[in-house]
Coordinates of all heavy atoms in Angstrom, one line a residue:
M85 N -13.6 21.9 -20.1 CA -12.9 21.1 -19.1 C -14.0 20.2 -18.4 O -15.1 20.6 -18.1 CB -12.2 22.0 -18.1 CG -11.4 21.1 -17.1 SD -10.5 21.8 -15.8 CE -9.7 23.2 -16.2
S86 N -13.5 19.0 -18.1 CA -14.4 18.0 -17.4 C -14.4 18.2 -15.9 O -13.4 18.6 -15.3 CB -13.9 16.6 -17.7 OG -14.6 15.6 -17.0
D87 N -15.6 17.9 -15.3 CA -15.7 17.9 -13.8 C -15.2 16.6 -13.2 O -15.3 16.5 -12.0 CB -17.1 18.2 -13.4 CG -17.5 19.6 -13.8 OD1 -16.7 20.5 -13.9 OD2 -18.8 19.8 -13.9
R88 N -14.8 15.7 -14.0 CA -14.4 14.4 -13.5 C -13.0 14.5 -12.9 O -12.1 15.1 -13.5 CB -14.4 13.3 -14.6 CG -15.8 13.1 -15.0 CD -15.9 12.2 -16.2 NE -14.9 11.2 -16.2 CZ -14.9 10.1 -17.0 NH1 -15.9 9.9 -17.7 NH2 -13.9 9.2 -17.0
Q89 N -12.8 13.8 -11.8 CA -11.4 13.8 -11.2 C -11.2 12.3 -10.7 O -12.0 11.8 -10.1 CB -11.3 14.8 -10.1 CG -9.9 14.9 -9.5 CD -9.7 16.1 -8.6 OE1 -10.6 16.9 -8.5 NE2 -8.6 16.1 -7.9
T90 N -10.1 11.8 -11.1 CA -9.7 10.4 -10.8 C -8.6 10.4 -9.7 O -7.6 11.1 -9.9 CB -9.3 9.6 -12.0 OG1 -10.4 9.7 -13.0 CG2 -9.0 8.2 -11.7
L91 N -8.7 9.5 -8.8 CA -7.7 9.3 -7.7 C -7.3 7.9 -7.9 O -8.1 7.0 -7.9 CB -8.3 9.6 -6.3 CG -7.4 9.4 -5.2 CD1 -6.2 10.3 -5.2 CD2 -8.1 9.6 -3.9
V92 N -5.9 7.7 -8.0 CA -5.4 6.4 -8.1 C -4.5 6.2 -6.8 O -3.6 6.9 -6.5 CB -4.5 6.2 -9.3 CG1 -3.9 4.8 -9.4 CG2 -5.3 6.5 -10.6
Y93 N -4.9 5.1 -6.1 CA -4.2 4.8 -4.9 C -3.1 3.7 -5.2 O -3.5 2.7 -5.8 CB -5.1 4.2 -3.8 CG -6.1 5.1 -3.2 CD1 -7.4 5.1 -3.6 CD2 -5.7 6.0 -2.2 CE1 -8.4 5.9 -3.1 CE2 -6.7 6.9 -1.7 CZ -8.0 6.8 -2.1 OH -8.9 7.6 -1.5
D94 N -1.9 4.0 -4.8 CA -0.8 2.9 -4.9 C -0.8 2.3 -3.5 O -0.3 2.8 -2.6 CB 0.5 3.6 -5.2 CG 1.7 2.6 -5.3 OD1 1.5 1.4 -4.7 OD2 2.7 2.9 -5.8
L95 N -1.5 1.2 -3.4 CA -1.8 0.6 -2.1 C -0.5 0.3 -1.3 O -0.4 0.5 -0.1 CB -2.7 -0.6 -2.2 CG -3.2 -1.2 -0.9 CD1 -3.9 -0.1 -0.1 CD2 -4.2 -2.3 -1.3
S96 N 0.5 -0.3 -2.0 CA 1.8 -0.6 -1.3 C 2.4 0.6 -0.8 O 2.9 0.7 0.4 CB 2.7 -1.3 -2.2 OG 2.2 -2.6 -2.6
N97 N 2.5 1.7 -1.6 CA 3.1 2.9 -1.2 C 2.4 3.5 0.1 O 3.0 3.9 1.0 CB 3.2 3.9 -2.3 CG 3.8 5.2 -1.9 OD1 3.1 6.1 -1.4 ND2 5.1 5.3 -2.1
I98 N 1.1 3.6 0.0 CA 0.3 4.2 1.1 C 0.4 3.3 2.3 O 0.5 3.8 3.4 CB -1.2 4.3 0.6 CG1 -1.3 5.4 -0.5 CG2 -2.0 4.8 1.8 CD1 -2.6 5.5 -1.0
A99 N 0.5 2.0 2.2 CA 0.6 1.1 3.3 C 2.0 1.3 4.0 O 2.1 1.3 5.3 CB 0.5 -0.3 2.9
Y100 N 3.1 1.6 3.3 CA 4.3 1.9 3.9 C 4.3 3.2 4.6 O 4.9 3.4 5.7 CB 5.5 1.8 2.9 CG 6.0 0.4 2.7 CD1 5.6 -0.4 1.6 CD2 6.8 -0.3 3.7 CE1 6.0 -1.7 1.5 CE2 7.2 -1.6 3.5 CZ 6.8 -2.3 2.4 OH 7.2 -3.6 2.3
V101 N 3.7 4.2 4.0 CA 3.5 5.5 4.7 C 2.7 5.3 6.0 O 3.0 5.8 7.0 CB 2.9 6.5 3.8 CG1 2.6 7.8 4.5 CG2 3.8 6.8 2.6
G102 N 1.6 4.5 5.9 CA 0.8 4.1 7.0 C 1.6 3.5 8.1 O 1.4 3.8 9.3
A103 N 2.5 2.6 7.7 CA 3.4 1.9 8.7 C 4.3 3.0 9.4 O 4.5 2.9 10.6 CB 4.2 0.9 8.1
Y104 N 4.8 3.9 8.7 CA 5.6 5.0 9.3 C 4.7 5.8 10.3 O 5.2 6.1 11.4 CB 6.1 5.9 8.2 CG 6.9 7.1 8.7 CD1 8.2 6.9 9.2 CD2 6.3 8.3 8.7 CE1 8.9 8.0 9.7 CE2 7.0 9.4 9.2 CZ 8.2 9.3 9.7 OH 8.9 10.4 10.2
L105 N 3.5 6.1 9.9 CA 2.6 6.9 10.7 C 2.2 6.1 12.0 O 1.9 6.7 13.0 CB 1.4 7.3 10.0 CG 1.6 8.4 8.9 CD1 0.3 8.7 8.2 CD2 2.1 9.7 9.6
A106 N 2.2 4.8 11.9 CA 1.8 3.9 13.0 C 2.8 3.9 14.1 O 2.5 3.5 15.2 CB 1.5 2.5 12.5
G107 N 4.0 4.4 13.9 CA 5.0 4.5 14.9 C 6.2 3.8 14.7 O 6.3 2.8 13.9
R108 N 7.3 4.2 15.4 CA 8.6 3.5 15.3 C 8.5 2.1 15.7 O 7.8 1.7 16.7 CB 9.6 4.2 16.1 CG 9.9 5.6 15.6 CD 11.1 6.2 16.4 NE 12.3 5.5 15.9 CZ 13.5 5.8 16.4 NH1 13.6 6.7 17.4 NH2 14.5 5.2 15.9
E109 N 9.1 1.3 14.9 CA 9.2 -0.2 15.2 C 7.8 -0.8 15.3 O 7.6 -1.7 16.1 CB 10.1 -0.4 16.4 CG 11.5 0.1 16.2 CD 12.5 -0.4 17.2 OE1 12.2 -1.5 17.8 OE2 13.5 0.2 17.3
V110 N 6.8 -0.3 14.6 CA 5.5 -0.9 14.6 C 5.5 -2.4 14.3 O 4.7 -3.1 14.8 CB 4.5 -0.1 13.7 CG1 4.9 -0.3 12.2 CG2 3.1 -0.5 13.9
E111 N 6.5 -2.8 13.5 CA 6.5 -4.2 13.0 C 6.6 -5.2 14.2 O 6.3 -6.3 14.1 CB 7.6 -4.4 12.0 CG 9.0 -4.3 12.5 CD 9.6 -2.9 12.3 OE1 8.8 -1.9 12.3 OE2 10.8 -2.8 12.3
H112 N 7.1 -4.7 15.4 CA 7.3 -5.5 16.5 C 6.1 -5.6 17.4 O 6.0 -6.4 18.4 CB 8.5 -5.1 17.3 CG 9.8 -5.1 16.6 ND1 10.4 -6.3 16.2 CD2 10.6 -4.2 16.1 CE1 11.5 -6.1 15.5 NE2 11.6 -4.8 15.4
A113 N 5.1 -4.8 17.1 CA 3.8 -4.8 17.9 C 3.0 -6.0 17.6 O 3.0 -6.5 16.5 CB 3.0 -3.5 17.6
A114 N 2.3 -6.5 18.6 CA 1.5 -7.7 18.4 C 0.3 -7.4 17.4 O -0.1 -8.3 16.7 CB 0.9 -8.1 19.7
D115 N -0.1 -6.2 17.4 CA -1.2 -5.8 16.5 C -0.7 -5.0 15.3 O -1.5 -4.2 14.8 CB -2.3 -5.0 17.3 CG -1.8 -3.7 17.9 OD1 -0.5 -3.5 18.0 OD2 -2.6 -2.9 18.2
A116 N 0.5 -5.2 14.9 CA 1.1 -4.4 13.8 C 0.2 -4.4 12.5 O 0.0 -3.3 12.0 CB 2.5 -4.9 13.5
P117 N -0.2 -5.5 12.0 CA -1.0 -5.4 10.8 C -2.3 -4.5 10.9 O -2.6 -3.7 10.0 CB -1.4 -6.8 10.4 CG -0.3 -7.6 11.1 CD 0.0 -6.9 12.3
Q118 N -2.9 -4.6 12.1 CA -4.1 -3.8 12.3 C -3.8 -2.4 12.4 O -4.5 -1.5 11.8 CB -4.8 -4.3 13.6 CG -6.1 -3.6 13.9 CD -7.2 -3.9 12.9 OE1 -7.4 -5.0 12.6 NE2 -7.9 -2.9 12.5
R119 N -2.7 -2.0 13.1 CA -2.3 -0.6 13.2 C -1.9 0.0 11.8 O -2.2 1.1 11.5 CB -1.2 -0.5 14.2 CG -1.6 -0.7 15.6 CD -0.5 -0.8 16.6 NE 0.4 0.4 16.6 CZ 1.5 0.5 17.3 NH1 1.8 -0.5 18.1 NH2 2.2 1.5 17.2
I120 N -1.2 -0.8 11.0 CA -0.8 -0.4 9.7 C -2.1 -0.2 8.8 O -2.2 0.8 8.1 CB 0.2 -1.3 9.1 CG1 1.5 -1.3 9.9 CG2 0.4 -1.0 7.6 CD1 2.5 -2.4 9.5
R121 N -3.0 -1.1 8.9 CA -4.2 -1.1 8.2 C -5.0 0.2 8.5 O -5.4 0.9 7.7 CB -5.1 -2.3 8.5 CG -6.5 -2.2 7.9 CD -7.5 -3.0 8.9 NE -8.8 -2.7 8.5 CZ -9.6 -1.7 9.1 NH1 -9.1 -0.9 10.0 NH2 -10.8 -1.5 8.7
D122 N -5.1 0.5 9.8 CA -5.9 1.6 10.3 C -5.2 2.9 9.8 O -5.9 3.8 9.3 CB -6.0 1.7 11.8 CG -6.8 0.5 12.4 OD1 -7.5 -0.1 11.6 OD2 -6.7 0.3 13.6
A123 N -3.9 3.0 9.9 CA -3.2 4.2 9.4 C -3.3 4.4 7.9 O -3.5 5.5 7.4 CB -1.7 4.2 9.8
T124 N -3.3 3.3 7.2 CA -3.4 3.3 5.7 C -4.8 3.8 5.3 O -5.0 4.6 4.4 CB -3.1 1.9 5.1 OG1 -1.8 1.5 5.5 CG2 -3.3 1.9 3.6
L125 N -5.8 3.2 6.0 CA -7.2 3.7 5.6 C -7.4 5.1 6.0 O -8.1 5.9 5.3 CB -8.2 2.8 6.3 CG -8.3 1.3 5.8 CD1 -9.3 0.5 6.6 CD2 -8.6 1.3 4.4
Y126 N -6.8 5.6 7.1 CA -6.9 7.0 7.5 C -6.3 7.9 6.3 O -6.9 8.9 5.9 CB -6.1 7.2 8.8 CG -5.8 8.7 9.0 CD1 -6.8 9.5 9.6 CD2 -4.6 9.3 8.7 CE1 -6.6 10.8 9.8 CE2 -4.4 10.6 8.9 CZ -5.4 11.4 9.5 OH -5.1 12.7 9.7
L127 N -5.1 7.5 5.8 CA -4.5 8.2 4.7 C -5.4 8.2 3.5 O -5.6 9.2 2.8 CB -3.2 7.6 4.4 CG -2.0 7.9 5.4 CD1 -0.8 7.0 5.0 CD2 -1.7 9.4 5.3
M128 N -6.0 7.1 3.2 CA -6.8 7.0 2.0 C -8.1 7.9 2.1 O -8.5 8.5 1.2 CB -7.2 5.5 1.8 CG -6.0 4.7 1.3 SD -6.4 2.9 1.4 CE -7.6 2.7 0.2
R129 N -8.7 7.9 3.3 CA -9.8 8.7 3.5 C -9.4 10.2 3.4 O -10.2 11.0 2.9 CB -10.5 8.5 4.9 CG -11.3 7.2 5.0 CD -12.1 7.1 6.2 NE -11.3 7.0 7.4 CZ -10.8 5.8 7.9 NH1 -11.2 4.7 7.2 NH2 -10.1 5.7 8.9
K130 N -8.3 10.5 4.0 CA -7.8 11.9 3.9 C -7.6 12.4 2.5 O -8.0 13.5 2.1 CB -6.5 12.0 4.7 CG -5.9 13.4 4.8 CD -4.7 13.4 5.7 CE -4.2 14.8 5.8 NZ -3.0 14.9 6.7
L131 N -7.0 11.5 1.6 CA -6.8 11.9 0.2 C -8.1 12.0 -0.5 O -8.3 12.9 -1.3 CB -5.9 10.8 -0.5 CG -4.4 10.8 -0.1 CD1 -3.7 9.6 -0.5 CD2 -3.7 12.1 -0.6
Y132 N -9.0 11.1 -0.2 CA -10.4 11.1 -0.8 C -11.1 12.5 -0.5 O -11.6 13.1 -1.4 CB -11.2 9.9 -0.3 CG -12.5 9.8 -1.1 CD1 -12.5 9.1 -2.3 CD2 -13.7 10.4 -0.6 CE1 -13.7 9.0 -3.0 CE2 -14.8 10.2 -1.3 CZ -14.8 9.6 -2.6 OH -16.0 9.5 -3.3
K133 N -11.0 12.8 0.8 CA -11.7 14.1 1.2 C -11.0 15.3 0.6 O -11.6 16.3 0.2 CB -11.7 14.2 2.7 CG -12.7 13.3 3.4 CD -12.6 13.4 4.9 CE -13.5 12.4 5.6 NZ -13.4 12.5 7.0
Q134 N -9.7 15.2 0.5 CA -8.9 16.4 -0.1 C -9.2 16.6 -1.6 O -9.4 17.7 -2.0 CB -7.4 16.1 0.1 CG -6.6 17.2 -0.4 CD -5.1 17.0 -0.2 OE1 -4.7 16.0 0.5 NE2 -4.2 17.7 -0.9
Y135 N -9.2 15.5 -2.3 CA -9.4 15.6 -3.8 C -10.8 15.5 -4.3 O -11.2 15.8 -5.4 CB -8.5 14.7 -4.5 CG -7.0 15.0 -4.3 CD1 -6.2 14.3 -3.4 CD2 -6.5 16.1 -5.0 CE1 -4.9 14.7 -3.2 CE2 -5.2 16.5 -4.8 CZ -4.4 15.8 -3.9 OH -3.1 16.1 -3.7
Q136 N -11.7 14.8 -3.5 CA -13.1 14.6 -3.8 C -13.2 14.1 -5.2 O -13.9 14.7 -6.1 CB -13.9 15.9 -3.6 CG -13.9 16.4 -2.2 CD -14.6 17.6 -2.0 OE1 -15.2 18.2 -2.9 NE2 -14.7 18.1 -0.7
P137 N -12.7 12.9 -5.5 CA -12.7 12.4 -6.9 C -14.1 11.9 -7.3 O -14.9 11.5 -6.4 CB -11.7 11.3 -6.8 CG -11.8 10.8 -5.5 CD -12.0 12.0 -4.6
T138 N -14.3 11.8 -8.5 CA -15.5 11.2 -9.1 C -15.3 9.7 -9.3 O -16.2 8.9 -9.3 CB -16.0 11.8 -10.4 OG1 -14.9 11.8 -11.3 CG2 -16.4 13.2 -10.1
H139 N -14.0 9.3 -9.4 CA -13.6 7.9 -9.6 C -12.3 7.6 -8.7 O -11.5 8.5 -8.6 CB -13.3 7.6 -11.1 CG -14.4 7.8 -12.0 ND1 -14.8 9.1 -12.5 CD2 -15.3 7.0 -12.5 CE1 -15.8 9.0 -13.2 NE2 -16.2 7.7 -13.3
A140 N -12.2 6.4 -8.3 CA -11.0 6.0 -7.5 C -10.6 4.6 -8.0 O -11.5 3.8 -8.3 CB -11.3 6.0 -6.0
F141 N -9.3 4.4 -8.1 CA -8.8 3.1 -8.6 C -7.7 2.7 -7.6 O -7.0 3.6 -7.0 CB -8.2 3.2 -10.0 CG -9.2 3.5 -11.0 CD1 -9.5 4.8 -11.4 CD2 -9.9 2.4 -11.6 CE1 -10.4 5.0 -12.4 CE2 -10.8 2.7 -12.6 CZ -11.1 4.0 -13.0
F142 N -7.4 1.5 -7.5 CA -6.4 0.9 -6.6 C -5.4 0.2 -7.4 O -5.7 -0.7 -8.2 CB -7.0 0.0 -5.6 CG -7.9 0.7 -4.6 CD1 -9.2 0.9 -5.0 CD2 -7.4 1.2 -3.4 CE1 -10.1 1.5 -4.1 CE2 -8.3 1.9 -2.6 CZ -9.6 2.0 -2.9
A143 N -4.1 0.5 -7.3 CA -3.0 -0.2 -7.9 C -2.4 -1.1 -6.8 O -2.0 -0.6 -5.8 CB -2.0 0.8 -8.4
C144 N -2.4 -2.4 -7.1 CA -1.9 -3.3 -6.1 C -0.8 -4.2 -6.7 O -0.9 -4.6 -7.8 CB -3.0 -4.2 -5.6 SG -4.4 -3.3 -4.9
D145 N 0.2 -4.5 -5.9 CA 1.2 -5.4 -6.3 C 0.7 -6.9 -6.3 O -0.2 -7.2 -5.6 CB 2.4 -5.4 -5.4 CG 3.2 -4.0 -5.5 OD1 3.1 -3.4 -6.6 OD2 3.8 -3.6 -4.6
H146 N 1.3 -7.7 -7.1 CA 1.0 -9.1 -7.1 C 2.3 -9.9 -6.8 O 3.4 -9.4 -7.1 CB 0.5 -9.5 -8.5 CG -0.1 -10.9 -8.6 ND1 0.7 -12.0 -8.7 CD2 -1.3 -11.3 -8.5 CE1 -0.1 -13.1 -8.7 NE2 -1.3 -12.6 -8.6
Q147 N 2.2 -11.0 -6.2 CA 3.4 -11.7 -5.7 C 4.2 -12.2 -6.9 O 5.4 -12.3 -6.8 CB 3.0 -13.0 -4.9 CG 2.4 -12.6 -3.6 CD 3.3 -11.8 -2.7 OE1 4.5 -12.1 -2.7 NE2 2.8 -10.8 -2.0
Q148 N 3.6 -12.4 -8.1 CA 4.4 -12.8 -9.2 C 4.4 -11.7 -10.2 O 3.5 -11.3 -10.8 CB 3.7 -14.0 -9.9 CG 3.7 -15.3 -9.0 CD 3.1 -16.4 -9.7 OE1 2.5 -16.3 -10.8 NE2 3.2 -17.6 -9.1
Y149 N 5.6 -11.1 -10.3 CA 5.8 -9.9 -11.2 C 6.2 -10.5 -12.6 O 7.0 -11.3 -12.7 CB 7.0 -9.0 -10.7 CG 6.7 -8.4 -9.4 CD1 7.4 -8.8 -8.2 CD2 5.9 -7.3 -9.3 CE1 7.2 -8.2 -7.0 CE2 5.6 -6.6 -8.1 CZ 6.3 -7.1 -7.0 OH 6.1 -6.5 -5.8
W150 N 5.5 -10.0 -13.6 CA 5.9 -10.4 -15.0 C 7.3 -10.0 -15.3 O 8.0 -10.6 -16.0 CB 4.9 -9.8 -16.0 CG 4.9 -8.3 -16.0 CD1 4.0 -7.5 -15.3 CD2 5.7 -7.4 -16.7 NE1 4.3 -6.2 -15.5 CE2 5.3 -6.1 -16.4 CE3 6.7 -7.6 -17.6 CZ2 5.9 -5.0 -17.0 CZ3 7.3 -6.5 -18.2 CH2 6.9 -5.2 -17.9
R151 N 7.8 -8.9 -14.6 CA 9.2 -8.5 -14.9 C 10.2 -9.5 -14.4 O 11.3 -9.6 -15.0 CB 9.5 -7.2 -14.2 CG 8.8 -6.0 -14.8 CD 9.1 -4.7 -14.0 NE 8.3 -3.6 -14.4 CZ 7.2 -3.2 -13.8 NH1 6.8 -3.8 -12.7 NH2 6.6 -2.1 -14.2
K152 N 9.9 -10.2 -13.4 CA 10.8 -11.3 -12.8 C 11.0 -12.4 -13.8 O 12.1 -13.0 -13.9 CB 10.3 -11.8 -11.5 CG 10.7 -10.9 -10.3 CD 10.4 -11.6 -9.0 CE 10.9 -10.7 -7.9 NZ 10.8 -11.3 -6.6
E153 N 10.0 -12.7 -14.6 CA 10.1 -13.7 -15.6 C 11.1 -13.3 -16.7 O 11.9 -14.1 -17.2 CB 8.8 -14.1 -16.2 CG 7.9 -14.8 -15.2 CD 6.5 -15.0 -15.8 OE1 6.3 -15.0 -17.1 OE2 5.6 -15.3 -15.0
I154 N 11.0 -12.0 -17.1 CA 11.9 -11.5 -18.1 C 13.3 -11.1 -17.6 O 14.3 -11.3 -18.2 CB 11.2 -10.3 -18.8 CG1 9.9 -10.7 -19.5 CG2 12.2 -9.6 -19.8 CD1 9.0 -9.6 -19.9
F155 N 13.3 -10.5 -16.4 CA 14.5 -10.0 -15.8 C 14.5 -10.6 -14.3 O 14.1 -9.9 -13.4 CB 14.5 -8.5 -15.8 CG 15.7 -7.8 -15.3 CD1 17.0 -8.1 -15.9 CD2 15.6 -7.0 -14.2 CE1 18.1 -7.4 -15.4 CE2 16.8 -6.4 -13.7 CZ 18.0 -6.6 -14.3
P156 N 15.1 -11.7 -14.1 CA 15.1 -12.4 -12.8 C 15.7 -11.6 -11.6 O 15.3 -11.7 -10.5 CB 15.9 -13.7 -13.0 CG 15.8 -13.9 -14.4 CD 15.8 -12.6 -15.1
E157 N 16.6 -10.6 -12.0 CA 17.2 -9.8 -10.9 C 16.3 -8.7 -10.4 O 16.6 -8.0 -9.5 CB 18.5 -9.2 -11.4 CG 19.6 -10.3 -11.7 CD 19.4 -10.9 -13.1 OE1 18.7 -10.3 -13.9 OE2 20.0 -12.0 -13.3
Y158 N 15.1 -8.5 -11.0 CA 14.2 -7.4 -10.7 C 13.9 -7.5 -9.2 O 13.3 -8.5 -8.7 CB 12.9 -7.5 -11.5 CG 11.9 -6.5 -11.2 CD1 12.1 -5.1 -11.6 CD2 10.7 -6.8 -10.6 CE1 11.2 -4.2 -11.3 CE2 9.8 -5.8 -10.3 CZ 10.0 -4.5 -10.6 OH 9.1 -3.6 -10.3
K159 N 14.2 -6.4 -8.5 CA 14.0 -6.3 -7.1 C 14.6 -7.5 -6.3 O 14.2 -7.8 -5.2 CB 12.5 -6.2 -6.7 CG 11.9 -4.9 -7.3 CD 10.4 -4.8 -6.7 CE 9.8 -3.5 -7.3 NZ 8.4 -3.3 -6.7
G160 N 15.5 -8.2 -6.9 CA 16.2 -9.3 -6.2 C 17.0 -9.0 -5.0 O 17.3 -9.8 -4.2
H161 N 17.5 -7.7 -5.0 CA 18.3 -7.3 -3.8 C 17.5 -7.0 -2.6 O 18.1 -6.8 -1.5 CB 19.1 -6.1 -4.3 CG 18.3 -4.9 -4.5 ND1 17.5 -4.7 -5.7 CD2 18.1 -3.8 -3.8 CE1 16.9 -3.6 -5.6 NE2 17.2 -3.0 -4.5
R162 N 16.2 -6.9 -2.7 CA 15.4 -6.5 -1.5 C 15.2 -7.7 -0.6 O 14.9 -8.8 -1.0 CB 14.1 -6.0 -2.0 CG 14.2 -4.7 -2.8 CD 12.8 -4.2 -3.1 NE 13.0 -3.0 -3.9 CZ 11.9 -2.2 -4.3 NH1 10.7 -2.6 -4.0 NH2 12.2 -1.1 -4.9
Q163 N 15.5 -7.4 0.7 CA 15.4 -8.4 1.7 C 13.9 -8.5 2.2 O 13.2 -7.5 2.2 CB 16.3 -8.1 2.9 CG 17.8 -8.1 2.5 CD 18.3 -9.5 2.1 OE1 17.9 -10.5 2.7 NE2 19.1 -9.5 1.0
D164 N 13.5 -9.7 2.6 CA 12.2 -9.8 3.2 C 12.3 -9.5 4.7 O 12.9 -10.3 5.4 CB 11.7 -11.3 3.0 CG 10.2 -11.4 3.1 OD1 9.5 -10.4 3.0 OD2 9.7 -12.5 3.4
S165 N 11.8 -8.4 5.1 CA 11.9 -7.9 6.5 C 10.6 -8.2 7.2 O 9.5 -8.4 6.6 CB 12.3 -6.5 6.5 OG 11.2 -5.7 6.0
L166 N 10.7 -8.0 8.5 CA 9.5 -8.1 9.4 C 8.5 -7.1 9.0 O 7.3 -7.3 8.9 CB 9.8 -8.1 10.8 CG 8.7 -8.2 11.8 CD1 7.9 -9.5 11.6 CD2 9.2 -8.1 13.3
L167 N 8.9 -5.8 8.7 CA 8.0 -4.8 8.3 C 7.3 -5.1 7.0 O 6.1 -4.9 6.9 CB 8.8 -3.4 8.2 CG 8.0 -2.2 7.8 CD1 6.9 -1.9 8.8 CD2 8.9 -1.0 7.6
K168 N 8.1 -5.6 6.1 CA 7.5 -6.0 4.8 C 6.4 -7.0 5.0 O 5.3 -6.9 4.4 CB 8.6 -6.5 3.9 CG 8.1 -6.7 2.4 CD 9.3 -7.1 1.6 CE 8.9 -7.3 0.1 NZ 10.0 -7.6 -0.7
Q169 N 6.6 -8.0 5.8 CA 5.6 -9.0 6.1 C 4.4 -8.4 6.8 O 3.3 -8.8 6.4 CB 6.2 -10.1 7.0 CG 7.3 -10.9 6.4 CD 8.1 -11.8 7.3 OE1 7.6 -12.0 8.5 NE2 9.2 -12.3 6.9
Q170 N 4.6 -7.5 7.7 CA 3.4 -6.9 8.4 C 2.6 -6.0 7.4 O 1.4 -6.0 7.5 CB 3.9 -6.1 9.6 CG 4.7 -6.9 10.6 CD 3.8 -7.8 11.4 OE1 2.8 -8.3 10.9 NE2 4.3 -8.2 12.6
V171 N 3.3 -5.3 6.6 CA 2.6 -4.5 5.6 C 1.8 -5.4 4.6 O 0.7 -5.0 4.3 CB 3.6 -3.6 4.8 CG1 3.0 -3.0 3.6 CG2 4.2 -2.5 5.7
R172 N 2.4 -6.5 4.2 CA 1.6 -7.4 3.3 C 0.4 -7.9 4.0 O -0.7 -8.0 3.4 CB 2.5 -8.6 3.0 CG 3.4 -8.4 1.9 CD 4.0 -9.8 1.4 NE 5.3 -9.6 0.7 CZ 6.3 -10.3 0.9 NH1 6.3 -11.3 1.7 NH2 7.4 -10.1 0.2
L173 N 0.5 -8.2 5.3 CA -0.7 -8.7 6.1 C -1.7 -7.5 6.2 O -3.0 -7.8 6.0 CB -0.3 -9.1 7.5 CG 0.5 -10.4 7.6 CD1 1.0 -10.7 9.0 CD2 -0.4 -11.6 7.1
A174 N -1.3 -6.3 6.4 CA -2.2 -5.2 6.5 C -2.9 -5.0 5.1 O -4.1 -4.8 5.1 CB -1.5 -3.9 6.9
I175 N -2.2 -5.1 4.0 CA -2.7 -4.9 2.7 C -3.8 -6.0 2.4 O -4.8 -5.8 1.9 CB -1.6 -4.9 1.6 CG1 -0.9 -3.6 1.7 CG2 -2.2 -5.1 0.2 CD1 0.4 -3.6 0.8
Q176 N -3.5 -7.3 2.8 CA -4.4 -8.3 2.7 C -5.7 -8.1 3.4 O -6.8 -8.4 3.0 CB -3.8 -9.7 3.1 CG -4.5 -10.9 2.7 CD -4.7 -10.9 1.2 OE1 -3.8 -10.7 0.4 NE2 -5.9 -11.3 0.7
M177 N -5.6 -7.5 4.6 CA -6.8 -7.2 5.4 C -7.6 -6.2 4.7 O -8.8 -6.3 4.6 CB -6.3 -6.6 6.8 CG -5.7 -7.5 7.7 SD -5.0 -6.7 9.2 CE -6.5 -6.4 10.1
I178 N -7.0 -5.2 4.1 CA -7.7 -4.1 3.3 C -8.4 -4.8 2.1 O -9.5 -4.5 1.8 CB -6.8 -3.0 2.9 CG1 -6.3 -2.2 4.2 CG2 -7.4 -2.0 1.9 CD1 -5.2 -1.3 3.9
K179 N -7.7 -5.6 1.4 CA -8.2 -6.2 0.2 C -9.4 -7.1 0.5 O -10.3 -7.3 -0.4 CB -7.2 -7.1 -0.5 CG -6.1 -6.3 -1.3 CD -5.1 -7.2 -1.9 CE -4.1 -6.5 -2.8 NZ -3.2 -7.4 -3.5
T180 N -9.5 -7.7 1.6 CA -10.6 -8.6 1.9 C -11.8 -7.9 2.5 O -12.8 -8.5 2.7 CB -10.1 -9.7 2.9 OG1 -9.6 -9.2 4.1 CG2 -9.1 -10.6 2.3
E181 N -11.7 -6.6 2.8 CA -12.8 -5.9 3.4 C -13.8 -5.5 2.3 O -13.5 -5.3 1.2 CB -12.3 -4.6 4.1 CG -11.6 -5.0 5.3 CD -11.1 -3.7 6.1 OE1 -11.4 -2.6 5.7 OE2 -10.4 -3.9 7.1

């Protein structure tokens, strides 16, 4: 058995959990992206410490999904909400660090 352990972060998923941890109606706070970012990084550090991986990877969404080209209705029912916008900003902050 190998001593290697890999941790894959789904950045969008963790950011939404971070938004939930940041508090009710965080999207209305003036510093919402920063609060979501901080909560997301807290979760990522917690998972890292818990699993102590030898490797870590990040799965990130892209604005242009290849599925939309093949299947235009893909996620087409989802509304663009204030929370979604704030989470996107928080993710962008994380990506640029």
